[in-house]
Amino acid sequence: MRENFESRTLGTSLLTLLFGILLLLSPVAVAKTAVQAAGIGCVLFGVISLIRALQAGRRDSDLVIGIIAIVIGLLVAANALAILNAIPFFLGIYLLANGALKLSVYVPSAVPDLIFGVILLLSGFGLFSFALKIIGFIMIIIAVLDIAGVAAFR
């Protein structure tokens, strides 16, 4: 049982280490690949829904959902960078709106939302890319500590 735990921990730690290194070295490429993979997954879901509907001889919501999922998946996969660039913008707009609503209730709770909303709107994807690098760095540290823990128990 202990060997199973050690090998599983070592395997997940190595994957975490690899993914952390990739995020640290090339956060935009990793994020773009993740968005494209989500788009491809949406296309696959749509194709499966479409096939099921056609096999059953139905012309109901499964058929419509399949077609819509394929179209959305293709748009997402083809426009991954545009989607990534839009994330900080829409998050900034959300934080500004949330902060503005909080102003009428309690000003101190509105300040972080307003500050981070402005920062996101002004910095755009640069801040998002930096945040992904920090996540990659943290993943590397966690993976190294896990690997060291497995080695220490041997």
Side-chain angles (χ1 to χ4, degrees), residues 1 9 11 17 24 36-37 47 51 55 57 81 86 88 94 98 100 109 130-132 139:
M1 178 145 153
T9 301
L17 180 65
L24 189 62
Q36 288 173 330
V47 168
I51 290 170
Q55 283 178 341
L81 281 177
Y94 166 76
N98 197 40
S109 72
F130 181 69
L132 290 176
M139 289 175 76

Side-chain angles (χ1 to χ4, degrees), residues 60-78:
D60 59 359
S61 62
D62 284 345
L63 186 67
V64 174
I65 288 171
I67 292 170
I68 291 172
I70 291 170
V71 171
I72 290 173
L74 290 173
L75 288 172
V76 166

Side-chain angles (χ1 to χ4, degrees), residues 88-93 96 115-124 127:
F89 174 78
F90 286 112
L91 184 56
I93 294 292
L96 284 176
I115 291 172
F116 289 121
V118 169
I119 290 171
L120 279 172
L121 286 175
L122 294 178
S123 67
L127 184 64

